[in-house]
Amino acid sequence: MNEKHKSCAPADNQPTSWDSIDWVKAEAAVRKLQARIVKAQKEGRHNKVRALQWTLTHSFYAKALAVKRVTSNGGGDTPGVDMETWEKPEDKSQAVSQLKRRGYQPKPLRRVHIKKKNGKMRPLGIPTLKDRAMQALYLLALEPVSETTADTRSYGFRKKRKCMDAIQQCHNILRKGYSPEWILEGDIKGCFDHISHDWLLANIPMDKAMLKKWLKCGYIFKKKMFPTEEGTPQGGIISPTLANMTLDGLQKVLAEKYKRRTIKGQHYSPMVNLVRYADDFIITCENRETLEKEIKPLVSDFMAERGLTLSEEKTVITNVNDGFDFLGFNIRKYGNEVLTKPTKEAEKRFMENIRKIIKGNKGCKQESLIRMLNARIRGWGNYYRHGATRDSFHRVDHEIFLSLWQWAKRRHSKKGKRWIKDRYWHNIRGNNWTFASKFKKANGKEDQLTLLTLTSACAYIPYKQIKGDVNPFDPEWRLYLNQRVKADMLVSLKGRKSLLYLWEKQKRVCPICGEPIDMHKAWNVMETTRDGKKCNLLVHDECFKLNRKQNVNKK
């Protein structure tokens, strides 16, 4: 095996065996370079930024991480126009050595269409795996700059930020007695499809030659080649960051024009606030006239410079007492209190998905149905659990019960209601109507699987919003972000500090697969024996099941 170098050196000087790569060292080396880019950007040393970006995009570790990203996520099995995928370690090793700037020419995008929630079709441009890896590589060098220059109230497609941060910010600026009452709900018409290429090439701080190649690569639809004269493709890894950087600056423009000032010895503020998540945003103000006659034209001019236009249909002005929908939440003021609830449309879509699962599995085991439903219920409930969701959760739980009752009656059309109830609903913790199934485990023991309910499994938890000026690539924020991850993980572990200690002791990784254990993947506790002593390990649920299956096969 070739000797590994400690520096983040060019790829030609590094090992090419995929399994021999030290991923911890790779991430540390790239993170160190990204921190230096942030430092140079904050000091205004733009030549230094470009030099560091060049070093990063020519380093072996960055190239390896780029290939790992495009092959390990859900889209790794989706090919581009060349119909090529990288499944074997040898393919990935070869891909790392092929990520070179010299002679690189991206292939056209593969155009597909997906249905939007309003019934219309959204075009997606799918690059080849090599083009995706090149974009991921250059994104590693661009993101430290974009995070340093980003608007503090921009939350979409940014590391360590969530939809709930944007919702919490809306709640904070609207909940006080003197808060603004009028809201401009902004919507950009085809944001990704219409961004000006000239503006991007003039303002995005990255390798212009590479950016131009991606923007002008064209796309293939129904075996015909079409040019791309504007926009950045939805489906490209770097596209969300480009769109964010295009819209950054609007907060500063509004703050400069509508800043707090003194009139006749008294302090006055028009209370203009921007909250943005990707291309969806709201702007608050104390009166409707200012929003309609000043702010909306100002926003339109800002967008026009970038080749964008506001949608006249979806850009509306509403009063907080009437409420407005934002990111799946309905935000409305009731008297002196602002409540954030799931929208009626969100409830309807969720129940449509639940009914689709139930109707599509009329003959499956109760245990299998519960597993499928629990995954959906847990995901939907965790997204909305930080809002005022009691009534909504009760309503949805009742609708799920009615659907399951119809499912059970259809299976046993000749049985009575009492028999059906005793067959599928059991008394658990004092609740006679718990949808549960008893089954035998692989070791022969009997176990019980219970359907989750939103009201019990997803209880309300206050959300702690992230600070606006946090930069995940800046070392000075590392301790703060580490504490947030720890607090989130404690919630995921259901408050069990013993498991949190175990998680920390394992350095936050699964001892079986070596991947990080976080809130996004299900976990389990595995009993094992080490040095003749019994001990527990916190592992991914998938690793737990795989390990248990292997042990059963050995027996």
Side-chain angles (χ1 to χ4, degrees), residues 67-84:
V67 172
K68 183 182 179 183
R69 174 174 177 176
V70 301
T71 54
S72 61
N73 61 22
D77 299 328
T78 306
V81 292
D82 59 357
M83 304 306 292
E84 184 179 305

Side-chain angles (χ1 to χ4, degrees), residues 49 249 278 436:
V49 170

Side-chain angles (χ1 to χ4, degrees), residues 210-470:
M210 295 295 292
L211 178 58
K212 187 174 182 179
K213 287 179 181 179
W214 289 326
L215 296 177
K216 303 294 185 182
C217 68
Y219 65 91
I220 291 178
F221 183 61
K222 293 183 178 179
K223 298 183 179 180
K224 290 184 179 180
M225 178 72 178
F226 297 88
T228 47
E229 301 297 337
E230 60 180 3
T232 177
Q234 294 189 56
I237 288 179
I238 203 170
S239 294
T241 301
L242 295 179
N244 260 339
M245 297 186 77
T246 302
L247 299 175
D248 281 336
L250 180 58
Q251 179 180 324
K252 185 178 179 181
V253 170
L254 292 170
E256 288 179 352
K257 184 168 183 179
Y258 298 100
K259 59 186 176 183
R260 187 182 180 93
R261 56 187 184 272
T262 303
I263 300 177
K264 296 181 180 180
Q266 294 185 344
H267 294 296
Y268 167 75
S269 172
M271 294 183 285
V272 175
N273 301 283
L274 169 74
V275 181
R276 180 169 67 83
Y277 189 92
D279 58 337
D280 293 325
F281 63 91
I282 66 152
I283 299 175
T284 66
C285 189
E286 62 178 353
N287 60 73
R288 184 187 182 99
E289 290 74 20
T290 303
L291 280 174
E292 197 164 4
K293 296 180 180 179
E294 296 182 18
I295 294 178
K296 188 176 178 182
L298 185 149
V299 174
S300 296
D301 292 342
F302 178 88
M303 298 297 173
E305 292 178 11
R306 292 150 174 80
L308 303 172
T309 55
L310 291 176
S311 171
E312 292 297 330
E313 298 177 359
K314 298 180 181 179
T315 301
V316 294
I317 297 174
T318 55
N319 191 285
V320 69
N321 295 300
D322 298 325
F324 64 96
D325 294 344
F326 189 54
L327 301 179
F329 281 87
N330 178 261
I331 304 171
R332 183 176 176 182
K333 199 166 191 175
Y334 297 85
N336 295 324
E337 189 174 5
V338 172
L339 298 181
T340 55
K341 305 178 179 180
T343 63
K344 297 296 182 184
E345 290 77 10
E347 288 184 24
K348 183 180 177 181
R349 285 197 304 272
F350 176 66
M351 280 310 305
E352 285 176 353
N353 289 331
I354 292 294
R355 292 188 185 105
K356 187 176 180 180
I357 293 173
I358 294 174
K359 290 180 180 178
N361 294 275
K362 294 175 182 176
C364 77
K365 294 181 180 179
Q366 185 186 13
E367 171 199 344
S368 301
L369 182 63
I370 289 174
R371 292 187 192 280
M372 287 185 280
L373 293 178
N374 278 353
R376 295 297 181 98
I377 291 170
R378 187 182 291 110
W380 197 79
N382 286 341
Y383 180 78
Y384 287 104
R385 73 188 306 168
H386 304 291
T389 54
R390 183 189 61 185
D391 294 341
S392 177
F393 280 7
H394 276 294
R395 187 163 51 247
V396 171
D397 281 340
H398 181 64
E399 291 291 328
I400 294 174
F401 165 76
L402 294 178
S403 296
L404 290 172
W405 183 253
Q406 291 296 324
W407 174 84
K409 284 203 305 180
R410 183 189 177 280
R411 290 165 69 93
H412 307 283
S413 57
K414 295 183 180 180
K415 296 291 185 180
K417 294 180 180 179
R418 174 68 62 181
W419 187 95
I420 293 173
K421 187 268 176 190
D422 293 339
R423 173 70 175 78
Y424 293 104
W425 280 268
H426 307 283
N427 187 332
I428 298 177
R429 299 186 187 91
N431 184 358
N432 287 320
W433 287 90
T434 302
F435 193 72
S437 169
K438 293 182 180 180
F439 63 96
K440 286 189 176 181
K441 298 169 67 175
N443 57 11
K445 294 182 180 179
E446 193 175 70
D447 199 0
Q448 185 169 267
L449 187 65
T450 303
L451 180 74
L452 297 177
T453 59
L454 290 165
T455 48
S456 62
C458 304
Y460 168 76
I461 295 177
Y463 185 76
K464 190 172 182 180
Q465 185 185 0
I466 194 169
K467 294 181 180 179
D469 51 353
V470 166

Side-chain angles (χ1 to χ4, degrees), residues 162-194:
K162 310 175 184 176
C163 290
M164 202 58 215
D165 289 305
I167 297 299
Q168 188 64 40
Q169 179 63 16
C170 292
H171 186 271
N172 290 342
I173 62 180
L174 295 171
R175 67 187 172 88
K176 296 169 184 161
Y178 56 84
S179 294
E181 292 189 354
W182 293 96
I183 295 98
L184 171 71
E185 300 176 60
D187 186 89
I188 303 170
K189 188 184 296 183
C191 178
F192 282 83
D193 300 328
H194 299 296

